[in-house]
Amino acid sequence: MTHTLLAFLGACALIAASPGPSSVLIIRHSLRSRRAGFAAVLGNESGVFLWGLAAAFGLTGLLAASHLAYDIMRIVGAVVLVGFGVQAIRAARRDGLTGFTAAAEGAAGEEESGGGWRAYRAALTLNLANPKAAVFAMSFLPQFVPSGSPQLPTMVVLAAIWATFEIGFYGLYVWFVGRMRTVLGRAKVRRRLEQTSGGVMVALGIRMAVES
């Protein structure tokens, strides 16, 4: 079991290190404040755990087996991703405070008005709207169930470990962006990062839409 767990954590590290729409969204929210960044991390990992539970109960197998259901989720996910990207690009064009990225002097006030909840909800929505996350959970978790172990409870535990590990991993992103706030918080730099992250999300959304 120890060897299996170490191999599982190594695989989790490789997964978390792979760039994707969730990491882009987490970095965007981290530019506004650490609280928003951590809220986005928790939202993303809530989605990871929910997909893990669905895989444990065999529900993601239904999605993988139904091409229509998969395509519907794929298009919805693409629309969500492009929508977030367009929001980032529009925010980069505004002067002063932006929708998702606030300057340091305005971050506290926005957090009090529910910015943390918006970050959590955005990250959760993005994760749950990605059918690849569901299919991946279905193919990933069963590989690490030791022979002779009960599959359902073991997969639930593995899903919890996976989500917890990524909270720590992406938490380092939030911490690093916070440490670089002096540089990254400059208006010109912030607008450039918004444009870049928005363009990346739009490109990823279009790619998701055209992939079969």
Side-chain angles (χ1 to χ4, degrees):
M1 185 63 188
T2 301
H3 293 294
T4 300
L5 183 59
L6 290 175
F8 179 71
L9 292 176
C12 289
L14 292 176
I15 294 167
S18 301
S22 293
S23 57
V24 174
L25 192 65
I26 288 169
I27 292 173
R28 286 199 61 237
H29 284 293
S30 300
L31 288 169
R32 189 188 66 194
S33 69
R34 285 185 177 177
R35 178 177 176 179
F38 279 118
V41 171
L42 292 177
N44 184 69
E45 300 319 312
S46 295
V48 167
F49 183 64
L50 288 175
W51 281 132
L53 288 180
F57 285 94
L59 300 180
T60 53
L62 300 177
L63 177 63
S66 173
H67 292 293
L68 177 60
Y70 183 89
D71 286 340
I72 291 174
M73 274 201 66
R74 179 171 54 82
I75 297 302
V76 170
V79 170
V80 170
L81 194 51
V82 170
F84 284 144
V86 170
Q87 285 180 350
I89 294 172
R90 291 179 60 187
R93 294 177 179 176
R94 298 193 197 110
D95 294 326
L97 299 179
T98 61
F100 282 106
T101 306
E105 62 268 23
E110 188 171 347
E111 286 174 6
E112 292 176 359
S113 64
W117 166 244
R118 286 196 296 273
Y120 176 90
R121 184 176 56 192
L124 176 62
T125 300
L126 181 60
N127 190 286
L128 293 182
N130 185 0
K132 290 185 177 180
V135 176
F136 182 78
M138 179 189 68
S139 60
F140 174 60
L141 292 177
Q143 299 180 45
F144 295 93
V145 177
S147 178
S149 298
Q151 182 162 329
L152 176 59
T154 303
M155 287 182 64
V156 170
V157 171
L158 289 175
I161 294 174
W162 183 13
T164 303
F165 178 88
E166 288 197 351
I167 288 175
F169 188 94
Y170 287 125
L172 294 176
Y173 282 33
V174 179
W175 176 84
F176 178 77
V177 172
R179 296 287 293 180
M180 297 292 291
R181 185 76 53 80
T182 302
V183 176
L184 299 178
R186 295 173 183 172
K188 184 179 291 187
V189 176
R190 195 172 65 247
R191 285 196 298 270
R192 183 65 64 185
L193 289 172
E194 286 280 9
Q195 291 171 343
T196 302
S197 63
V200 169
M201 284 191 283
V202 169
L204 290 173
I206 294 174
R207 178 181 176 183
M208 183 183 294
V210 300
E211 284 183 342
S212 58

